[in-house]
Amino acid sequence: MEKIAINDAVVHVPEGVCTVTSIIERDLASLGIRQYYVLEPVYDRKSKIFVPIEGNGAKVRGLPDKEEVLSAIDEIPEAESVWVENDKARLESFSSILSRCDHREMMRLVHTLKTKQTEKMRTGKKFHSADERIFREAERILFGEFGYVLGIEPAEVGDFIRSRLEK
């Protein structure tokens, strides 16, 4: 993982975009002295998250740059669907994509779910509540990340994507 410093913007699973406000040491009897990132979610300044620096796995990662975000958006029309027919297997697969928080995978997930949701509405069928929940969570994280990088509000990201793809 890349070196993360105070004041860096990062993505934290499941919070989304956060600012590293400090790095502290804590002595936990069972674990000994460990260093932690103190994160403040960009879209919820009232919270603080403490993430161990060592062994945090994929919980904290840097943000993509603007070119990477635009490239991910431009790839949407050719994006492979990540749909899984079996409900239980689909939930496991989609949850796994959410936990990895890779912006390209999340983009494919959001695109797949938006396409399925549109199909279901067109045929008068209901969108599965688990799919809806995953869709909203993936969109929240992805739109927060893309909005931060692009300098727009997360609520504006969907329109930004649509307008970019129409060009």
Side-chain angles (χ1 to χ4, degrees):
M1 184 170 83
E2 69 272 9
K3 178 86 169 115
I4 295 172
I6 294 172
N7 296 323
D8 282 357
V10 297
V11 174
H12 172 265
V13 179
E15 287 303 319
V17 180
C18 298
T19 303
V20 179
T21 59
S22 61
I23 296 173
I24 63 168
E25 280 190 357
R26 286 255 167 99
D27 186 1
L28 302 176
S30 61
L31 301 172
I33 297 174
R34 293 179 79 178
Q35 286 192 312
Y36 291 82
Y37 294 119
V38 180
L39 307 178
E40 184 177 278
V42 169
Y43 303 111
D44 178 14
R45 297 281 184 191
K46 297 176 210 138
S47 319
K48 293 257 186 267
I49 303 159
F50 297 85
V51 179
I53 290 176
E54 200 172 303
N56 75 47
K59 285 189 181 254
V60 177
R61 68 162 171 78
L63 289 166
D65 63 28
K66 186 174 182 177
E67 288 309 310
E68 289 175 288
V69 168
L70 295 175
S71 172
I73 292 169
D74 293 344
E75 292 169 7
I76 292 172
E78 290 84 38
E80 232 179 90
S81 174
V82 294
W83 188 256
V84 176
E85 285 302 325
N86 179 280
D87 290 350
K88 186 175 185 226
R90 184 171 62 249
L91 181 59
E92 286 175 18
S93 173
F94 290 177
S95 296
S96 178
I97 290 171
L98 274 179
S99 72
R100 286 192 298 274
C101 204
D102 171 272
H103 65 275
R104 280 196 153 72
E105 261 191 316
M106 294 270 273
M107 190 78 244
R108 283 193 298 274
L109 176 61
V110 167
H111 178 63
T112 297
L113 288 170
K114 183 66 178 166
T115 302
K116 283 294 179 184
Q117 183 185 50
T118 303
E119 275 177 30
K120 296 275 186 189
M121 286 174 63
R122 197 174 28 241
T123 60
K125 295 180 181 175
K126 288 186 87 172
F127 196 48
H128 197 288
S129 62
D131 295 330
E132 180 69 33
R133 185 180 50 76
I134 294 277
F135 178 52
R136 293 291 158 227
E137 182 66 4
E139 199 174 55
R140 180 188 67 79
I141 293 169
L142 188 72
F143 285 16
E145 181 176 350
F146 282 15
Y148 186 87
V149 171
L150 296 170
I152 61 177
E153 290 297 314
E156 298 169 4
V157 172
D159 289 339
F160 178 90
I161 290 171
R162 277 185 288 286
S163 115
R164 183 165 176 94
L165 293 176
E166 286 171 2
K167 291 180 182 175

